[in-house]
Amino acid sequence: MTQQGGGLSVDAAGQLFVDFDSMPTDKFEALLKSLKMLVPLTANLTLYVDTNNVSASDTIINNRGTEALPFKTIGGAINFVVNNYALGSYNVTIRVKTGTYNENVTLPTYSTGGGTITILAHSGNRDVTINNVNGGTTITCTGGRWTLRNLALIMTAANPTSPTIRRVVYATSSGAILTLYGNSYSNVYPANFDRNNLYYEVRMIEASGGTIIWGASTIAHTISAQTITNASTRVLMASIGGTIMLMALSQEDLTMQLDTSCSGDCTTFALCASSSSFVYSGSQLYGPTFTGASMTGKRYQIESGSNINTNGGGADYFPGDTAGT
């Protein structure tokens, strides 16, 4: 006997067992989740986040993540994916609706066979602001292959109680691969900011052991950096074997915006330390360029067996009004 639509059967000895062949797909998926087993994706998956939707929540119910029942936070959508699904070769897209998301976002390792996870502004414009109001790191990628597209990323400085380093985007560990398309990046010091005579450094985009790919986009990257007296701001920093790749990813990218507009003050625009590297892929004609640059500070600094290859761009390739070393 088989329970109609339920997936339960009774064998010849009268023992109840689970008949997976007769179990509906949704019940099978629910069973795997209840057993804390990852559900293999069989198609690409799209989830929605909308902090301003009255129906939004991070509580998991049926159809959570749809446009009608979106997640409340970006972190809620990320946790749902990595804790429940094995991507295989399929991709996940997290579409974020217009709004300000005051959260620290962690991009962790997930189960994949080549599939990636993309977080993007639903409208295609930079009307999604992710702001770390607590003064830590706004985006931290600890593993996996992730893409951030057309987002406004901000790190708000906080008065320190001990020497500290803050980051806007941070890719750490050798398994972290983070691709950035057309985002804006900025750090903000409040009017009443007090460093309390402690060491304070902002690293706006850092690859520490991991890899950051600076890709072409339909919207140009925008960097607005700010530094204060006796504190330092590094705009692009590769450290501990990390790599930052400046590149057009495909022939199709050549029709897109390849430039980055830079403004503000920095201590060093590009810093390579501890056997790390910047790799400029493509020629000056086809690769990304820095335009509209009104940034002051040292153009670049190379330390401890590191390498910067601008493919013939020379010292003036990076923004800044001071020679590099």
Side-chain angles (χ1 to χ4, degrees), residues 30-309:
L31 174 63
L32 290 179
K33 289 179 180 177
S34 70
L35 297 174
K36 304 301 182 184
M37 298 176 65
L38 297 179
V39 178
L41 285 183
T42 57
N44 292 334
L45 175 65
T46 298
L47 299 172
Y48 291 86
V49 181
D50 187 356
T51 190
N52 296 315
N53 190 318
V54 294
S55 299
S57 173
D58 291 339
T59 301
I60 304 304
I61 59 174
N62 287 339
N63 297 319
R64 175 65 68 207
T66 61
E67 198 164 4
L69 292 171
F71 285 93
K72 184 75 171 177
T73 68
I74 298 168
I78 290 171
N79 291 337
F80 176 72
V81 172
V82 301
N83 292 333
N84 290 286
Y85 291 102
L87 271 62
S89 60
Y90 296 101
N91 301 316
V92 173
T93 301
I94 299 174
R95 305 189 71 91
V96 187
K97 296 292 189 73
T98 303
T100 297
Y101 296 80
N102 292 320
E103 54 181 304
N104 295 62
V105 176
T106 298
L107 312 176
T109 300
Y110 55 87
S111 177
T112 182
T116 63
I117 302 178
T118 297
I119 302 172
L120 53 80
H122 176 69
S123 68
N125 301 314
R126 285 196 288 255
D127 55 8
V128 171
T129 298
I130 305 175
N131 182 19
N132 175 14
V133 296
N134 296 319
T137 298
T138 304
I139 303 289
T140 304
C141 183
T142 60
R145 299 175 59 185
W146 297 83
T147 297
L148 302 180
R149 185 187 290 271
N150 298 348
L151 305 170
L153 308 176
I154 300 173
M155 193 287 294
T156 301
N159 291 333
T161 57
S162 61
T164 189
I165 296 173
R166 304 298 195 194
R167 302 170 176 92
V168 182
V169 177
Y170 185 35
T172 179
S173 84
S174 59
I177 302 175
L178 177 59
T179 301
L180 303 173
Y181 283 101
N183 304 294
S184 67
Y185 317 85
S186 58
N187 65 311
V188 177
Y189 290 99
N192 61 347
F193 179 80
D194 184 359
R195 200 171 54 81
N196 297 315
N197 295 317
L198 296 170
Y199 177 78
Y200 196 96
E201 179 179 341
V202 173
R203 300 174 181 179
M204 297 189 67
I205 297 142
E206 180 179 3
S208 178
T211 298
I212 290 179
I213 299 173
W214 194 268
S217 178
T218 53
I219 301 179
H221 294 272
T222 301
I223 296 174
S224 176
Q226 181 182 2
T227 191
I228 58 174
T229 303
N230 297 323
S232 62
T233 299
R234 320 289 187 180
V235 178
L236 300 177
M237 180 168 177
S239 63
I240 316 178
T243 300
I244 295 180
M245 302 178 68
L246 308 167
M247 62 190 301
L249 298 181
S250 69
Q251 190 71 19
E252 294 178 356
D253 288 341
L254 303 183
T255 63
M256 299 180 181
Q257 298 284 342
L258 303 180
D259 58 327
T260 297
S261 177
C262 307
S263 63
D265 305 318
C266 66
T267 307
T268 306
F269 182 81
L271 172 61
C272 257
S274 304
S275 302
S276 60
S277 61
F278 284 91
V279 180
Y280 182 85
S281 179
S283 67
Q284 285 290 345
L285 178 62
Y286 296 129
T289 56
F290 295 100
T291 63
S294 59
M295 185 171 289
T296 61
K298 186 182 292 185
R299 294 188 183 98
Y300 63 88
Q301 185 171 337
I302 309 173
E303 301 175 353
S304 306
S306 299
N307 176 64
I308 292 180
N309 177 8

